[in-house]
Amino acid sequence: MGASIEPGTVKRALSAHAAIGLLAGAILYILCLTGTIAVFYVEMQRLEQPGAPEMAEIAPEAVQRGVEAVLAREAQEGLAPTSHLYVHIPVEELPRATITTDSNAFHLDAAGNIAMPERIAWNDFLVHLHYTLNLPSLVGITIVGAFGVMMLALSLSGVLAHPRIFRDAFRLRARNNAGVGLTDWHNRLSVWTLPFGIAIALTGALIGLATVTAYGIAESAYDGDVAAVYGPVFGEEAAPDPSPAPAPDVAAALQYMAREHPGVRLTYAILHDPLTAGQHVQMVGEHDRRLIFGEYYAFDSQGRFAGTTGMADGALGQQAAASTYKLHFGNFGGVWVKIAYVVLGAALTAVCATGTYIWLGKRRRRGIEEPRLRAAWTGVVVGTPVALLATVAARVAIGNEAPFAAIFWIALAAWIAAAVALAARRRPAPEALPA
């Protein structure tokens, strides 16, 4: 005689199964909402630190002065040598010159002097929340990439599960039935955002899973050398030589770009292993009417041109890899493309929210009454923007040093817990239920 499972155990297992589904939906909702807000990441930097010096352009000699000043300052402070130094070149969307090292970030004035530290911790928190859910980098970005795959599967399976979805793309039934109205809006928004949703999900999955894939390939084929995996796509790293050397001639590289490639819009200058004999410089330049984030122009420490990586004219796979970032974040066509991304992103966020409500409604119609789960989901939908507003309030009240990640997750958890507790109080006691 086979062992039987107690009904209470089955009920608890079903509730646990539903709770796991709710958690997955919550993460997807958070990713969609934060991604929508992060479209204006560059503009929000200017809002978060409005007093930073701004300029339409900066002279090569000023950049050189700034690089040497930052490297000298870090040496005086006894900081470990930075492995990479990034110079943000002023562009129309962000007309600021900023130098970032492994330890610091500073704004420069137009003459190349250090003006002030960069103070955009809230924006950095938002991007890390979207990229990694504030988890350790490799773990977080892998989880986010997996949710990109899940989102892609949901988009495609939703179309296959509703054969009339395109024919009924603009049909809304009478809303006297709340469930029907919600389902119709969910389906309509899903159709209207389908190309956008597929593009965002696919590029998000590629960006998120690329790192763990690279680590896997490195362990199996390159003796753990991750740089060797990325080399054919993003360029090879030069052989390191830690012997001391003066700062590289960044000005000469900038002058070369202005003279030989005047149509390329420079966005970054990157110094690899600065102040060592193995140092070299890369310029990142955007090309008009291209989705690539930029081409890498390589220079030696004397500012002599050494070639390009091939992001603009290399293998098709290489060009495709360089195009995922702009396509995912919408920073390729000016403010109107960004506005379109925000509108479509908000619709995609609504699809995530309504999808879970529809799922919970179907369970309810099958006799599975779960008021706590429904309250928890409402807590997620309402609590996520509330928690984000709490981090904004902390930025105003406390400043750049506020623990934004802790504030967000604690506020969200508290909101969900309060919603569940309130639902439990409203639920009638078993003896009060009608016979």
Side-chain angles (χ1 to χ4, degrees):
M1 186 174 180
S4 61
I5 301 177
E6 292 292 331
T9 303
V10 174
K11 185 176 180 180
R12 286 191 295 272
L14 288 172
S15 295
H17 179 75
I20 293 171
L22 201 69
L23 176 62
I27 293 175
L28 202 55
Y29 174 79
I30 291 169
L31 293 176
C32 287
L33 180 61
T34 54
T36 300
I37 299 171
V39 168
F40 283 107
Y41 168 70
V42 170
E43 289 78 5
M44 289 190 296
Q45 286 187 48
R46 300 174 74 181
L47 288 175
E48 186 172 3
Q49 192 176 17
E54 296 193 344
M55 62 214 77
E57 58 184 17
I58 186 169
E61 295 77 15
V63 173
Q64 184 71 34
R65 188 176 302 115
V67 166
E68 294 177 2
V70 169
L71 290 172
R73 179 167 177 164
E74 293 202 337
Q76 290 171 1
E77 293 176 354
L79 297 175
T82 186
S83 60
H84 293 84
L85 181 147
Y86 300 86
V87 183
H88 177 267
I89 309 297
V91 293
E92 183 179 356
E93 295 86 352
L94 189 61
R96 297 178 174 183
T98 308
I99 293 182
T100 304
T101 69
D102 294 347
S103 306
N104 288 302
F106 298 101
H107 294 299
L108 306 179
D109 62 19
N113 303 307
I114 297 175
M116 62 180 68
E118 184 183 48
R119 312 284 282 181
I120 56 167
W122 185 86
N123 274 274
D124 288 341
F125 147 75
L126 179 69
V127 171
H128 290 150
L129 176 58
H130 182 70
Y131 258 106
T132 66
L133 296 170
N134 300 132
L135 295 169
S137 296
L138 181 58
V139 175
I141 201 169
T142 302
I143 292 173
V144 171
F147 273 89
V149 176
M150 179 187 296
M151 184 176 169
L152 183 62
L154 287 170
S155 298
L156 297 176
S157 62
V159 173
L160 295 175
H162 300 86
R164 293 164 52 95
I165 197 168
F166 291 108
R167 189 171 69 178
D168 295 340
F170 297 97
R171 178 173 175 262
L172 289 172
R173 288 170 284 183
R175 287 181 290 177
N176 57 343
N177 184 318
V180 169
L182 193 65
T183 301
D184 276 2
W185 274 112
H186 175 85
N187 291 340
R188 300 301 84 81
L189 290 174
S190 298
V191 174
W192 301 339
T193 61
L194 185 62
F196 174 79
I198 290 175
I200 293 299
L202 181 59
T203 53
L206 291 172
I207 293 170
L209 296 179
T211 304
V212 69
T213 302
Y215 273 90
I217 295 174
E219 287 297 329
S220 63
Y222 293 94
D223 295 325
D225 186 359
V226 178
V229 180
Y230 283 119
V233 180
F234 298 105
E236 304 285 349
E237 286 278 354
D241 183 346
S243 304
D249 196 341
V250 183
L254 288 168
Q255 291 163 354
Y256 175 90
M257 291 300 299
R259 183 175 64 252
E260 301 295 331
H261 301 280
V264 172
R265 186 178 78 152
L266 294 181
T267 55
Y268 281 93
I270 306 173
L271 280 63
H272 297 257
D273 301 316
L275 301 182
T276 72
Q279 66 191 345
H280 59 104
V281 178
Q282 284 180 319
M283 296 292 163
V284 183
E286 293 184 338
H287 289 217
D288 287 340
R289 306 178 69 84
R290 296 293 305 276
L291 275 177
I292 58 169
F293 67 80
E295 174 65 279
Y296 286 125
Y297 296 83
F299 296 83
D300 65 15
S301 62
Q302 303 301 313
R304 294 184 291 257
F305 181 61
T308 60
T309 301
M311 313 302 287
D313 56 5
L316 291 179
Q318 192 176 17
Q319 295 184 51
S323 300
T324 56
Y325 299 92
K326 281 192 173 184
L327 186 58
H328 187 77
F329 290 104
N331 53 351
F332 59 85
V335 66
W336 289 110
V337 170
K338 290 188 175 185
I339 290 173
Y341 263 61
V342 167
V343 172
L344 292 169
L348 203 56
T349 305
V351 169
C352 291
T354 54
T356 302
Y357 276 122
I358 292 168
W359 173 63
L360 290 170
K362 288 180 179 179
R363 291 173 63 84
R364 185 176 187 179
R365 288 191 292 275
R366 293 202 305 268
I368 306 174
E369 188 70 31
E370 294 172 318
R372 288 184 177 86
L373 281 182
R374 188 175 186 87
W377 182 246
T378 300
V380 170
V381 172
V382 180
T384 301
V386 168
L388 286 172
L389 288 174
T391 63
V392 173
R395 178 64 177 87
V396 174
I398 302 174
N400 202 65
E401 294 77 19
F404 298 112
I407 291 170
F408 172 81
W409 290 108
I410 291 172
L412 178 57
W415 194 275
I416 295 171
V420 172
L422 188 60
R425 289 185 60 185
R426 287 176 176 173
R427 188 179 184 184
E431 58 271 16
L433 290 173

